Amino acid sequence: MFRQSIRQLATAATTTPIASAAVATTAAGTASAAATTSSASTATVDVAESTTTTTIDEPVFHNVQPAKYTLGSLRAFPSLNPFTFIPLPAKFFTMPERKDILWSAVVFEADGERVGSNWAPTKGDKLFSNRKVRPQKGTGRARLGDANSPHLYNAIKAHVIQAPHDWSTELPDKIYSKAWSSAFSEQYKAGNLFIIGADPEGKVQSDRKGDGSIVDFNVCDPLVYDKFAKSHNVKGKGLLFITNSKRDNLSQSAKERDSKKFIVKTKEDVDVRDILKANRIYVELPALQWIIGKHTV
């Protein structure tokens, strides 16, 4: 009995602290969990508040449109003094250089100027007799027909293009117009394009005597051209004058000087090759407007 009672007391003493510790541990875990939950909820509220108060501005894109016009100096002739600016379409005067298009335009214009008058005799023209040159047999040599055979040295051709023949080729109008734009753009960027004309009121603001709004000399004298070339330092260079109509004094001066370096053409007669060859281009404003209106794509 005594041993049994001692055993029961020892068992009760050992089990009671463990239970209390378990209860304490449970309470502490519950308290810490509650604290964690409360802190998490507080953090969630803070994040929500910060999210609702922060605003991000959307990026604004400013699309800058390219310029529609560029400027050109309007000058008086023959002094070439500039007195005002005029707007020029940027689409026509700022085109990049396209050598492939320019080459196509040059070939197209050159083919159109070929006359096709070449003539060479053929066997059908019968320049010689139809008589057989030598007998068919008995000579020990090869068979031979009449003297009109093309393989003989008699200037007769077997295959030849005879006149009249049309050598002209085709080129789309859009490609040809781009060639005009590319040629004028290169001369404009190089500073070789001089526009002659009057202001909207029809006046030429120049203090030089004899200046006008058209590309023409006052008198028909080659010495006037020599003076013009010397004053502008263009002697010996290729000059191209594009006029709106025929200019007698200018044309006559060109005939008495080097026509290869001094070219005068109206707006209908000028082509892309003339623009590419020229070192200086003097064009009347109405003629330039006509060219722009015809070849703007």
Side-chain angles (χ1 to χ4, degrees), residues 74-82 194-196 211 228 232 282:
L74 195 61
R75 303 171 183 267
F77 190 85
S79 67
L80 301 183
N81 289 335
F194 298 87
I195 305 173
I196 312 300
D211 280 350
F228 171 82
H232 298 293
Y282 307 95

Side-chain angles (χ1 to χ4, degrees), residues 215-234:
V215 181
D216 197 9
F217 297 136
N218 295 330
V219 294
C220 179
D221 190 352
L223 296 178
V224 178
Y225 165 73
D226 295 338
K227 183 179 179 181
F228 171 82
K230 184 178 180 180
S231 60
H232 298 293
N233 195 22
V234 293

Side-chain angles (χ1 to χ4, degrees), residues 273-286:
R273 293 177 299 170
D274 297 328
I275 300 172
L276 295 176
K277 293 178 183 178
N279 300 119
R280 298 289 189 275
I281 299 177
Y282 307 95
V283 55
E284 295 180 2
L285 181 59

Side-chain angles (χ1 to χ4, degrees), residues 6-47:
I6 292 175
R7 189 178 295 172
Q8 290 177 354
L9 291 175
T11 304
T14 54
T15 57
T16 301
I18 295 174
S20 62
V23 172
T25 303
T26 304
T30 304
S32 62
T36 304
T37 305
S38 63
S39 62
S41 62
T42 304
T44 303
V45 172
D46 294 341
V47 172

